[in-house]
Amino acid sequence: MSKNSNITTVLKSKTPKVYKNKKLNNANFVDFNLNDYQVFLYLVSKLGKVDQFGKYLQPEHLQIEHTITALEFANAFNMALPHAYPILKNAAAKLIKSTVIIEKPELFETWEIAVLSTAKYHHKEGKVSIKFNADIMPYLAQARQKFVIYNLKEVANFGSLHTTRLYELIQEWQTTGYIHKTVDDLRKLFAIGSKYKLYADFKLYTFLHAIDEINDKTEYNISFSEIKTGRKVTAIEFKFTRTVVEKRYRSDGTQKNTYIKPQHKEPAQDD
């Protein structure tokens, strides 16, 4: 599976792109819910554009102030316009208080960074105006490596924050088709706090649901296996493959594309 070919496919699209550093892709977004994260992703998508050659570009000096209207947000996430107004209003109040936690193992440090420095909801216009915190901008700036990029529309129809976060990991590990995460790391990634203390509940309501949604709504097939230390599940291994596109010929000699989605396989059960 080639990461470069996937990036090329993404860059050819004219739809908004989500581009961020891998450290931010693995960060703990603490108390974000799905709608908060959707607003954040839409703001991130405003930082760069695709040029006439299909190349993703950011300006030399990133703009830190942005506005989202209810109409554009509703269109981006395929929702009814009346639903967008309270989402933007609530997200503005939430994001100004929110931080992300980024691990810096190379420095033996954990950083907590505020997402925004200001946020305003305009009641008459039904829009939000924000200013990114300067400290988060390095994790959103274009880099030559260690980045993740995908089309915003790929996550627009997900009904769970956990699904979106797992899908972002898939984009990060395109070259391997394989993801290994400890259960503790997944708890942070899914921003569940103290919920689902029992592993069975954690599994059911986070990554198991996310896997079902990804398999149902995307071109990927993802499966998992559990890694145990003694009798306790301490890590999860995810494996994923993409839909294969085959060129076939009709009886009249014309060519067509046939999309073959990999078959979903149930994980092996322990005896």
Side-chain angles (χ1 to χ4, degrees):
M1 185 181 302
S2 170
K3 179 178 180 179
N4 290 336
S5 64
N6 181 65
I7 292 174
T8 300
T9 300
V10 170
L11 295 187
K12 284 181 179 179
S13 170
K14 299 299 183 182
T15 62
K17 309 287 181 291
V18 174
Y19 184 104
K20 54 183 173 172
N21 183 285
K22 286 185 177 180
K23 283 191 178 295
L24 189 60
N25 200 52
N26 288 271
N28 181 354
F29 280 77
V30 192
D31 59 350
F32 277 43
N33 61 31
L34 175 62
N35 292 146
D36 301 331
Y37 198 61
Q38 287 174 330
V39 172
F40 172 75
L41 293 181
Y42 193 79
L43 289 168
V44 170
S45 76
K46 286 178 168 282
L47 293 174
K49 303 292 183 183
V50 174
D51 67 12
Q52 65 269 34
F53 303 107
K55 184 177 181 181
Y56 178 83
L57 294 173
Q58 290 181 346
E60 182 178 355
H61 301 290
L62 287 181
Q63 182 179 347
I64 63 173
E65 296 186 44
H66 297 274
T67 298
I68 305 178
T69 67
L71 180 59
E72 63 182 297
F73 183 77
N75 289 337
F77 289 95
N78 304 313
M79 67 177 62
L81 180 59
H83 294 164
Y85 292 108
I87 288 174
L88 290 185
K89 182 179 179 181
N90 293 336
K94 180 78 162 289
L95 292 178
I96 193 60
K97 303 173 185 176
S98 297
T99 60
V100 296
I101 297 175
I102 297 177
E103 297 297 334
K104 296 270 193 172
E106 69 278 11
L107 301 176
F108 302 97
E109 295 175 350
T110 299
W111 291 18
E112 187 168 2
I113 301 174
V115 177
L116 306 180
S117 60
T118 62
K120 296 181 287 186
Y121 180 73
H122 305 265
H123 294 270
K124 289 185 177 181
E125 297 93 339
K127 65 182 183 181
V128 168
S129 299
I130 65 92
K131 181 186 290 186
F132 278 114
N133 176 23
D135 289 336
I136 203 171
M137 298 311 290
Y139 299 97
L140 300 173
Q142 194 165 4
R144 293 185 179 275
Q145 57 184 352
K146 296 184 178 180
F147 64 89
V148 175
I149 185 170
Y150 61 87
N151 291 315
L152 183 66
K153 68 180 182 181
E154 294 173 35
V155 300
N157 293 320
F158 289 155
S160 164
L161 172 64
H162 312 136
T163 305
T164 303
R165 297 295 275 144
L166 183 57
Y167 187 85
E168 289 180 323
L169 284 185
I170 291 175
Q171 302 312 304
E172 179 177 343
W173 295 96
Q174 285 288 339
T175 56
T176 66
Y178 171 87
I179 302 165
H180 179 100
K181 286 286 183 183
T182 67
V183 171
D184 287 343
D185 284 344
L186 286 174
R187 287 182 179 277
K188 295 173 183 176
L189 187 83
F190 294 146
I192 60 172
S194 60
K195 292 192 297 184
Y196 313 134
K197 292 183 179 180
L198 291 177
Y199 170 74
D201 292 336
F202 167 73
K203 171 182 175 180
L204 178 63
Y205 294 113
T206 61
F207 69 85
L208 201 59
H209 170 79
I211 286 172
D212 287 342
E213 193 167 18
I214 289 171
N215 286 338
D216 181 54
K217 295 182 178 179
T218 77
E219 63 180 359
Y220 292 95
N221 179 78
I222 181 169
S223 58
F224 75 96
S225 57
E226 297 170 327
I227 309 302
K228 292 184 176 182
T229 302
R231 300 183 64 181
K232 182 180 180 181
V233 176
T234 54
I236 306 295
E237 292 182 353
F238 300 98
K239 293 183 179 179
F240 57 92
T241 52
R242 298 180 68 184
T243 297
V244 175
V245 181
E246 290 188 356
K247 294 188 180 298
R248 296 181 179 179
Y249 292 90
R250 301 182 180 91
S251 57
D252 62 2
T254 58
Q255 195 178 76
K256 68 174 182 177
N257 289 336
T258 301
Y259 299 88
I260 304 173
K261 184 175 174 67
Q263 295 298 310
H264 174 63
K265 295 181 179 179
E266 296 295 333
Q269 299 296 319
D270 293 334
D271 293 333

